[in-house]
Amino acid sequence: MNAPARLLSGDTADCAPVLKERGQREVFCGLTGIIWLHRKMQDAFFLVVGSRTCAHLLQSAAGVMIFAEPRFATAIMEERDLAGLADANVELDRIVDQLLARRGDIKTLFLVGSCPSEVIKLDLSKAAQRLGAKHAPRVRVLNYSGSGIETTFTEGEDACLASLVPVMPALDADAARNLIIVGSLPDVVEDQFRRIFADLGIGPIASLPERAVADLPGVGPNTRFLLAQPFLGDTAARLEERGARRLDALFPFGIEGTTSWLLAAAREFGVADAHFDAVLAPFQARAEKALAHHRARLAGRSIFFMPDSQLEVPLARFLANELGMVLTEVGTPYLHRRHLAQELAALPAGVQLSEGQDVDRQLDRVRSIRPDLTVCGLGLANPLEAEGLSTKWAIELVFSPIHGFDQAGDLAELFARPLRRRDVLRV
Ligand code: SF4
């Protein structure tokens, strides 16, 4: 049964009250993160301990992965495995032994939990310890949950990265200050950021995750980190527990966000303003040129964000401030007020925010507002399109390279394309 929506006033200083929604959800589970994480971490393997539904989700989401040598699989725990938990553990150990014997390239194995009750009964952290001890030091075995009961689709990445933090090497108080970019970015984007940091004279730089997960960066009291994604609350908390400090900034979407993100690091590492401006000027000019091209199409068009990826607030800020779009409602599954403080302050005054999901009520609002564009999950897009509403799949925003100056134009294009298609159909 759907819970009624409540209006809580005063939740954010600079915006209208946040509408709290607690009802039926329509979002992929955290297993989905494996699709982009396995591409990034090239020496890791994701073994989902789940059901046929989980296997089906991964296969259909990953499309043709079956033709590549994949870095994920599903250990299916069915009724026959459940004669006793001991049997399930024996079965899991057997599958892992076989996998690791066959695949010498695997350096980190993630056991990923799911929601079937059989799996919930299994203690995967104990299984990871047992298997880690057995296969050490060749393979590190970790575990996290991608269960749809506990996670929405981007939270799977958070759970995965959080599981890495306890095994990062410790740096002591005498170690030089280092900077970690936290969040799985496409290699091309990560390389661009690393070049800019090098030009600014900021370093040493590491990433979480690195392409080779075996090489985890060190962490200690002199570690500073920048979140590349707004959905990494647990990972950030664990890094802070290990003494690292988060640099507060906008998220690196668009010119405004990317400049703020880089500036936070530049301030921390003592980069002179003139040098910062000189290094960034050509990137900003190029991005501005790319955005100008899309502004004519997007300015004044209205957009509604259904809660899905947790990217909604930073993307809404980018679309409103840099492209002149009109925000009708910005929904997000979770609103991390501390990490999003600057983002919330940068939104246009009076924007309607909503946190959580109650899919029917939100669809009612979409239908009554009839925005020019609705950002939503795959399952909602087709019905809305059939009603004459243009949609953008939220998941595409997670798969695509959208961070940084050189991607700002591509990010705008992702929103402009469905509107262009609709305009052509109308003609
Ligand atoms: Fe479905 Fe749960 Fe498996 Fe996700 S983890 S595919 S929600 S059964």
Side-chain angles (χ1 to χ4, degrees), residues 16-352:
V18 178
L19 190 61
K20 299 271 192 176
E21 298 280 33
R22 297 286 177 270
Q24 191 188 327
R25 297 194 308 177
E26 188 85 32
V27 185
F28 280 133
C29 66
L31 295 188
T32 323
I34 294 172
I35 308 302
W36 63 90
L37 290 170
H38 90 277
R39 282 194 201 128
K40 181 73 190 180
M41 306 186 204
Q42 298 183 1
D43 56 356
F45 192 96
F46 295 82
L47 184 66
V48 176
V49 185
S51 64
R52 287 192 189 283
T53 312
C54 309
H56 183 69
L57 171 87
L58 282 174
Q59 286 298 331
S60 54
V64 295
M65 274 312 300
I66 202 159
F67 297 114
E69 179 69 349
R71 284 192 296 277
F72 60 81
T74 309
I76 294 171
M77 294 286 140
E78 287 180 313
E79 300 292 329
R80 67 182 171 80
D81 303 317
L82 300 174
L85 282 180
D87 286 354
N89 278 308
V90 168
E91 174 74 357
L92 181 61
D93 289 14
R94 188 185 62 75
I95 291 170
V96 168
D97 290 350
Q98 267 180 1
L99 173 71
L100 296 181
R102 190 167 57 83
R103 295 281 302 273
D105 56 321
I106 298 172
K107 302 281 186 289
T108 300
L109 174 68
F110 292 99
L111 302 178
V112 189
S114 60
C115 26
S117 55
E118 304 83 53
V119 176
I120 292 172
K121 282 184 224 142
L122 268 179
D123 187 337
L124 282 188
S125 77
K126 272 207 183 121
Q129 276 172 20
R130 180 176 72 240
L131 288 159
K134 184 171 177 187
H135 294 280
R138 204 200 97 196
V139 184
R140 176 195 289 139
V141 184
L142 300 171
N143 75 289
Y144 71 90
S145 172
S147 153
I149 298 167
E150 295 167 83
T151 57
T152 62
F153 80 101
T154 49
E155 285 180 295
E157 174 170 340
D158 190 21
C160 174
L161 300 191
S163 78
L164 287 167
V165 176
V167 292
M168 288 165 72
L171 297 175
D172 61 29
D174 299 334
R177 191 165 32 180
N178 66 330
L179 179 66
I180 305 179
I181 303 169
V182 180
S184 172
L185 292 171
D187 291 349
V188 58
V189 176
E190 185 188 320
D191 291 344
Q192 285 168 10
F193 282 142
R194 281 175 180 262
R195 278 198 295 276
I196 296 177
F197 282 125
D199 290 349
L200 290 170
I202 295 172
I205 305 279
S207 299
L208 183 69
E210 294 280 0
R211 280 159 232 200
V213 202
D215 307 332
L216 283 171
V219 61
N222 293 329
T223 299
R224 306 290 177 262
F225 66 95
L226 278 169
L227 291 180
Q229 304 283 19
F231 46 74
L232 299 173
D234 283 352
T235 308
R238 292 218 184 169
L239 286 166
E240 283 164 352
E241 279 162 21
R242 296 204 53 187
R245 183 153 60 79
R246 181 181 62 90
L247 302 179
D248 193 35
L250 296 176
F251 287 88
F253 302 113
I255 301 172
E256 183 188 20
T258 308
T259 302
S260 160
W261 194 76
L262 293 167
L263 185 61
R267 292 257 155 84
E268 182 68 24
F269 283 76
V271 178
D273 286 352
H275 181 55
F276 181 80
D277 292 344
V279 169
L280 262 58
F283 292 98
Q284 291 166 326
R286 209 159 50 225
E288 176 49 40
K289 205 167 154 203
L291 290 183
H293 175 67
H294 295 289
R295 199 168 290 128
R297 182 168 296 274
L298 291 172
R301 310 298 287 268
S302 57
I303 187 162
F304 189 113
F305 281 90
M306 296 287 283
D308 208 289
S309 65
Q310 291 193 60
L311 294 170
E312 294 87 359
V313 172
L315 292 181
R317 179 262 305 156
F318 163 69
L319 292 169
N321 295 354
E322 298 189 45
L323 293 159
M325 289 193 83
V326 177
L327 307 176
T328 56
E329 179 170 327
V330 182
T332 188
Y334 302 103
L335 197 56
H336 196 302
R337 284 166 179 72
R338 195 160 54 86
H339 292 176
L340 289 172
Q342 291 202 29
E343 292 286 352
L344 293 169
L347 284 175
V351 169
Q352 177 64 68

